[in-house]
Amino acid sequence: MIKNTGRKLLRNKSAMFGLMIILILLLMGLFAGRIASHDPTLVDITNKLAPSSKEYPLGTDQMGRCILCRLIYGIEISMFTAIKVTFIILLVGVPLGMIAGYCGGIADNLVMRLADIASTFPSTLLALAVVGIFGPSLDHLVLVFIFLWWAPFARMVRSSVIKLKETEFVMAAEAAGCSRRDIIMKHIFPNTLSPVIVYATLRIAAVITHIAGFSFIGLGSQPPAPDWGVMLNDGRQYIDTHPGMLFWPGLAIVIVVFAFNLFGEGLNDALIPAEEEMAVVKETGDSNE
Amino acid sequence: MKKRFTSVLSALLCAAVALGLCACGSGGGLEESASALGEEAVSSGQAVAADGEKEIVVAIYKDGAMEELDAATYNGPHFLFKMIYEGFVEDNGDGTLEPVLATQWDISEDGKTYTYHLREGVKFSDGTDFNAGAVAFNLKRWMNNDRFSSLTSYAVDNIEIIDDYTIAVTYTDAAYAILLEQTYPRPNRFLSPSSIENDGSTTGVFSTPVGTGPWMLESYVKDEEFTLVPNPYYWGEKPQVDRIRFKVITDAQARLLALKSGEVDIIGGDLMGKIPMESLNELRNSGEFDTYVTGTMCSHFISFNEDNEIFQDKNVRQALNYAVNKKSIAEDLYDGNGLEAHGMYQDSVPYVTSENSYAYPYDTARAIELLETSGWMDSDGDGIREKGGQKLSFTFVYSVDEFPEWKSLAEYLQAAYSEIGVQIQLSCLDKNGYADATTSKNFDICLRRTASDSWVPHSSLKELFYPYADRDYALVWTDENLQSMINDALLCLNEDERQEKYDAVFSCICEEAYSVPVYYPTTSFAVNGNKVDGFEVGVNNYAPVAWEKLNVK
């Protein structure tokens, strides 16, 4: 099955394109210190708003900082943070969904009611409230996303587990006397992964736009962090005179989100048979809020 | 395929949202741009209203607070007080005083009793008479209230109504600045006693602004806009236009866009809503609008929280002074749209001289030396100095609502201080949060401005270095020795002796490094010259525009 999926994915050109972009950006982010020739926070006011040159390929911003270097260092803040956040969300959501689905009863009820609570909060409002109380910071935002966004994963895993519990191979394993742990880890868990992976990939894109959006309005990363949202905010005074200050970080966000979406869709086509596709969407509800 | 299409679409939408966000400001910007779009069609038709009324639209950065525009308070935008209310005298901008509601005045030998001869035949905009009774009513509303103790004229011993148009006021202290203080936008102005509910009682509740000034309030929608029209009873030269419409646009960039779209005719002014420095040169060069730039008497400075132990060390305060390149701020950061800061007050401020008020030169080596003398070392190599396990790290509070250029200033200072191993955490607050934090000492360092024009230096010094209202600490630094020096200067009626006393005051502020002066701002305006005629910059920050001379082409 894995072979089959891999082949399907490889044949999907747009998914591969997305994956390629993601990998390139990941490498750039990892080796930011080597690629970028300037300190992204080094202010040189005598060199502000410089046009593009050999030393500053995309020019400099209003504080004389290299825009390209800031974009490269921004990968760490935007992409890496989003990947980390999504990973933590998975760590919370998947086990909870598994417990709810497999154990049923009170545990199921408890987890699902918690999930209900988490899904009723609009993420923007809660983020505004948290930032209002604890002060603007990327860490506070990240906590809000984790607090709210585990719920769809838990739901998704739970429904898969409930379905899988009734399948013949699980019942056979039970009849053969496998331990609960083995049944969950070897038979159920691998089979719940496909929709989770697809959804998580798409979620990364959502986290990136949210971080950039909140940083743009001054509630996420704080200056001088080279966050793409912060860069957009810096650039807005220069929309007429130096549109590049807005264009490049904007483009960076679009490319990353685009890449994750392409890849996510490709994974979706490869991993999930057509008849199940609808079910995933139904279980997760509105995928972007 | 369908899903792929949606993903492409969502990416495009992201881009659109990002661009859309760029167009409007942070915070309240979203609503503003929405309302701006909605009203554009209406306002362009209003340039000259259907019945030939001449209207000028002006952008303002905050609400007019008309329900609190009480002459005897400190609420609401300063410049509106000067439009709606008048005082005894007015500041001409060149240090001389112009008689307004007092045509002449006599000062007693001891300098305590002022006899004001009032202008006759003046009416408030509600038609009631202005007379000695109204003056006494107004004075009683705020005098001897600690809230106003930064004024020397707040302490009054006696008020005597001699006749309908003569009133004698005996002040507790014979301060030299009593008459100067009569030019302030507040609280030394007179409102109609009938605009206080429970007519006749000085403790009544303020209802609506009614003064003797050239303008009166016509309509007011909170946080959106308000209109002023000429006061039909005004005794002096009548305004030329029929209406000035003020539109509240919080975000500086949105104000600029509003000017470009024709939604407003005038933007700028320190207390009305500054033009972003970044856009000023572009505006000037484009030639599309008439631009006006003039100096001010205000200065912007960093203030320390004296409760933070670290700042009790003079070496640290001086080091933070040495680390700032004031010249580069004015020339590079602001493209020359500002002056290099020297002392805490500009040289044009009375009694300030280049000897008594000076800048610490830009010298990072000296700054580092001072910090190291005080034991602040970077022992763990993270670039931040520490002493006894405590890091040299400060929260830096500022706001970009009144001064949009504080954003780049704050980031510049953050970078400058990181060079000497001081970590700065920026905290940009909205105007209310900023006001709360800076008056309740909820910061390590913050950006502040001095007052300007006739408030400097005397009232500004009292405001910044004296505890007043319900606070037992001064806003900038509580130094009892300095306070008594300021007081001596205020109560000195001899001009030469006063200069000496002020020398001591300013030298003390510089020597002790109670602040870090960072730059002296200019004020600027951009005017739609195709529509507005007769625009003149006003005499000072509190009278930013010569409103009466405005006309429509």
Side-chain angles (χ1 to χ4, degrees):
Chain A
M1 178 185 164
I2 291 172
K3 230 186 214 170
N4 192 20
T5 311
R7 210 177 299 136
K8 255 187 174 174
L9 197 58
L10 278 174
R11 249 187 275 132
N12 187 332
K13 277 182 199 146
S14 56
M16 282 297 103
F17 182 62
L19 182 64
M20 209 171 67
I21 296 175
I22 294 170
L23 288 178
I24 292 173
L25 288 172
L26 276 177
L27 285 175
M28 283 172 81
L30 279 176
F31 297 104
R34 302 249 180 101
I35 301 170
S37 44
H38 300 274
D39 179 345
T41 57
L42 185 74
V43 169
D44 176 10
I45 201 68
T46 53
N47 192 29
K48 68 172 183 179
L49 302 169
S52 99
S53 63
K54 232 180 195 175
E55 205 183 346
Y56 303 101
L58 301 181
T60 60
D61 68 1
Q62 84 286 3
M63 306 300 282
R65 299 171 294 210
C66 173
I67 292 180
L68 183 64
C69 302
R70 283 175 72 73
L71 284 178
I72 293 171
Y73 277 95
I75 294 173
E76 190 184 334
I77 295 182
S78 299
M79 239 170 103
F80 290 10
T81 313
I83 292 172
K84 275 185 238 161
V85 168
T86 312
F87 192 70
I88 298 173
I89 291 173
L90 287 179
L91 280 184
V92 177
V94 172
L96 281 176
M98 204 82 85
I99 292 167
Y102 195 82
C103 302
I106 298 173
D108 185 21
N109 244 322
L110 190 71
V111 172
M112 282 306 104
R113 293 304 76 77
L114 283 177
D116 285 346
I117 293 171
S119 357
T120 43
F121 277 108
S123 59
T124 318
L125 273 188
L126 187 66
L128 283 175
V130 167
V131 162
I133 296 166
F134 299 105
S137 132
L138 188 56
D139 297 343
H140 297 156
L141 273 187
V142 160
L143 282 179
V144 170
F145 297 151
I146 295 171
F147 181 72
L148 296 183
W149 288 351
W150 61 271
F153 288 96
R155 284 231 176 90
M156 198 159 44
V157 171
R158 172 183 173 267
S159 73
S160 305
V161 172
I162 287 176
K163 256 181 256 155
L164 287 166
K165 241 168 59 169
E166 306 299 320
T167 53
E168 280 149 8
F169 70 91
V170 172
M171 292 206 278
E174 267 171 2
C178 284
S179 71
R180 265 191 166 191
R181 199 175 137 257
D182 277 1
I183 294 175
I184 292 180
M185 295 309 291
K186 287 189 182 152
H187 300 288
I188 294 183
F189 177 66
N191 284 302
T192 60
L193 270 183
S194 308
V196 169
I197 290 174
V198 170
Y199 189 55
T201 316
L202 296 172
R203 182 88 310 191
I204 292 175
V207 176
I208 290 174
T209 47
H210 274 75
I211 290 177
F214 278 99
S215 297
F216 174 77
I217 57 173
L219 303 177
S221 310
Q222 294 300 301
D227 183 299
W228 295 341
V230 171
M231 292 176 73
L232 273 178
N233 186 15
D234 285 344
R236 99 200 139 82
Q237 268 109 328
Y238 302 92
I239 191 164
D240 287 335
T241 44
H242 300 86
M245 278 182 67
L246 274 168
F247 179 76
W248 297 116
L251 187 69
I253 295 172
V254 170
I255 288 176
V256 172
V257 172
F258 191 57
F260 274 103
N261 277 333
L262 280 183
F263 183 57
E265 294 298 338
L267 277 176
N268 192 23
D269 291 349
L271 285 172
I272 301 174
E275 66 269 18
E276 273 181 40
E277 210 173 296
M278 288 312 290
V280 173
V281 176
K282 208 173 153 195
E283 281 306 320
T284 54
D286 178 13
S287 69
N288 259 335
E289 194 38 72
Chain B
M1 265 325 271
K2 203 180 157 202
K3 294 210 86 182
R4 203 157 300 140
F5 173 69
T6 42
S7 71
V8 173
L9 196 67
S10 66
L12 285 175
L13 265 177
C14 290
V17 168
L19 279 173
L21 280 169
C22 307
C24 43
S26 55
L30 274 173
E31 300 156 38
E32 276 143 23
S33 73
S35 70
L37 287 175
E39 281 164 23
E40 203 173 334
V42 186
S43 73
S44 56
Q46 269 173 357
V48 173
D51 50 356
E53 281 199 331
K54 293 191 272 188
E55 177 177 299
I56 283 181
V57 189
V58 180
I60 175 174
Y61 84 101
K62 65 176 182 184
D63 179 43
M66 289 297 175
E67 75 282 11
E68 348 181 290
L69 202 73
D70 182 340
T73 64
Y74 278 164
N75 301 324
H78 292 79
F79 73 95
L80 289 176
F81 286 85
K82 286 214 174 191
M83 294 178 82
I84 294 173
Y85 304 112
E86 290 174 306
F88 288 133
V89 290
E90 197 57 272
D91 175 11
N92 262 338
D94 55 6
T96 60
L97 297 176
E98 180 186 310
V100 180
L101 291 181
T103 48
Q104 49 180 317
W105 48 91
D106 311 312
I107 305 171
S108 67
E109 282 284 310
D110 63 358
K112 287 187 177 175
T113 304
Y114 285 62
T115 309
Y116 300 101
H117 302 276
L118 305 181
R119 191 176 292 277
E120 295 185 24
V122 175
K123 278 181 191 296
F124 288 104
S125 60
D126 61 357
T128 55
D129 286 326
F130 168 78
N131 51 31
V135 170
F137 176 86
N138 274 280
L139 289 178
K140 281 176 191 157
R141 294 191 67 229
W142 63 271
M143 66 182 201
N144 298 333
N145 177 345
D146 278 350
R147 175 74 182 77
F148 306 100
S149 63
S150 63
L151 274 64
T152 51
S153 58
Y154 101 102
V156 174
D157 277 344
N158 187 38
I159 298 174
E160 190 189 344
I161 299 179
I162 296 169
D163 62 42
D164 245 11
Y165 292 102
T166 317
I167 187 164
V169 183
T170 307
Y171 299 99
T172 311
D173 298 313
Y176 79 94
I178 286 174
L179 261 185
L180 274 179
E181 288 176 2
Q182 309 302 326
T183 67
Y184 291 4
R186 58 207 186 182
N188 275 316
R189 284 184 185 244
F190 305 113
L191 56 71
S192 167
S194 66
S195 66
I196 302 298
E197 282 165 24
N198 310 328
D199 203 352
S201 152
T202 55
T203 54
V205 181
F206 174 79
S207 58
T208 177
V210 178
T212 61
W215 301 93
M216 58 185 244
L217 178 65
E218 184 193 39
S219 67
Y220 171 54
V221 184
K222 190 165 181 57
D223 290 328
E224 277 181 34
E225 63 167 39
F226 53 93
T227 56
L228 299 184
V229 292
N231 168 6
Y233 299 103
Y234 185 54
W235 56 272
E237 190 191 338
K238 291 249 160 56
Q240 313 272 320
V241 293
D242 300 306
R243 181 179 294 106
I244 299 180
R245 184 179 298 275
F246 288 91
K247 285 203 174 182
V248 181
I249 306 177
T250 310
D251 183 72
Q253 211 58 37
R255 285 196 293 275
L256 190 64
L257 291 174
L259 177 76
K260 288 184 175 169
S261 73
E263 189 197 348
V264 302
D265 307 316
I266 299 174
I267 61 168
D270 268 21
L271 299 167
M272 289 162 53
K274 286 202 85 165
I275 301 172
M277 292 277 200
E278 304 82 24
S279 316
L280 185 58
N281 285 350
E282 179 218 337
L283 259 179
R284 230 182 331 197
N285 297 339
S286 78
E288 209 180 328
F289 298 97
D290 300 341
T291 50
Y292 302 82
V293 181
T294 53
T296 67
M297 281 167 93
C298 171
S299 23
H300 292 188
F301 62 94
I302 291 173
S303 139
F304 310 114
N305 183 349
E306 58 186 333
D307 287 353
N308 187 330
E309 292 263 310
I310 299 173
F311 295 125
Q312 289 295 335
D313 182 351
K314 187 167 143 189
N315 284 348
V316 174
R317 302 199 300 266
Q318 288 187 332
L320 293 181
N321 266 286
Y322 279 116
V324 178
N325 187 344
K326 275 85 54 179
K327 190 165 187 225
S328 183
I329 290 177
E331 288 176 8
D332 302 322
L333 189 64
Y334 292 146
D335 301 310
N337 289 317
L339 296 171
E340 180 185 347
H342 307 282
M344 188 157 157
Y345 290 94
Q346 296 199 24
D347 296 348
S348 55
V349 169
Y351 309 108
V352 174
T353 64
S354 48
E355 285 87 44
N356 67 24
S357 180
Y358 51 85
Y360 287 83
Y362 173 53
D363 185 348
T364 46
R366 178 90 184 104
I368 290 169
E369 195 187 314
L370 281 168
L371 289 178
E372 288 182 351
T373 315
S374 286
W376 292 100
M377 298 297 204
D378 181 15
S379 43
D380 56 7
D382 63 351
I384 305 160
R385 289 171 192 279
E386 55 271 313
K387 183 165 84 173
Q390 190 187 10
K391 280 195 180 302
L392 198 50
S393 168
F394 303 120
T395 311
F396 186 126
V397 167
Y398 65 105
S399 169
V400 295
D401 288 345
E402 192 175 1
F403 302 105
E405 70 266 26
W406 278 9
K407 177 178 155 49
S408 51
L409 182 63
E411 288 172 28
Y412 177 82
L413 291 167
Q414 180 183 45
Y417 285 148
S418 81
E419 273 180 37
I420 58 162
V422 177
Q423 188 187 36
I424 297 290
Q425 269 139 1
L426 295 180
S427 169
C428 179
L429 304 176
D430 70 339
K431 51 186 176 286
N432 298 325
Y434 169 79
D436 285 347
T438 51
T439 47
S440 61
K441 287 191 173 179
N442 202 357
F443 62 90
D444 292 322
I445 59 180
C446 70
L447 274 177
R448 289 186 198 274
R449 64 169 169 84
T450 64
S452 68
D453 309 306
S454 55
W455 288 63
V456 283
H458 51 277
S459 291
S460 174
L461 285 169
K462 280 202 92 171
E463 204 170 52
L464 300 175
F465 291 99
Y466 266 80
Y468 71 94
D470 47 358
R471 294 191 298 271
D472 58 356
Y473 52 86
L475 283 178
V476 171
W477 202 272
T478 317
D479 173 346
E480 282 173 11
N481 187 29
L482 178 65
Q483 285 170 15
S484 75
M485 286 197 279
I486 295 172
N487 203 41
D488 282 351
L490 280 171
L491 295 182
C492 178
L493 295 179
N494 178 308
E495 185 79 31
D496 294 331
E497 282 174 34
R498 199 186 306 146
Q499 177 65 55
E500 273 171 38
K501 292 185 192 295
Y502 268 123
D503 284 345
V505 169
F506 295 127
S507 304
C508 170
I509 294 172
C510 287
E511 167 56 28
E512 290 293 327
Y514 283 147
S515 67
V516 185
V518 282
Y519 84 106
Y520 300 153
T522 54
T523 185
S524 53
F525 296 87
V527 178
N528 176 1
N530 293 328
K531 178 182 163 190
V532 179
D533 198 18
F535 179 89
E536 265 180 45
V537 178
V539 294
N540 62 35
N541 260 358
Y542 303 118
V545 175
W547 302 107
E548 288 70 59
K549 294 181 179 157
L550 282 181
N551 207 340
V552 174
K553 274 183 185 163

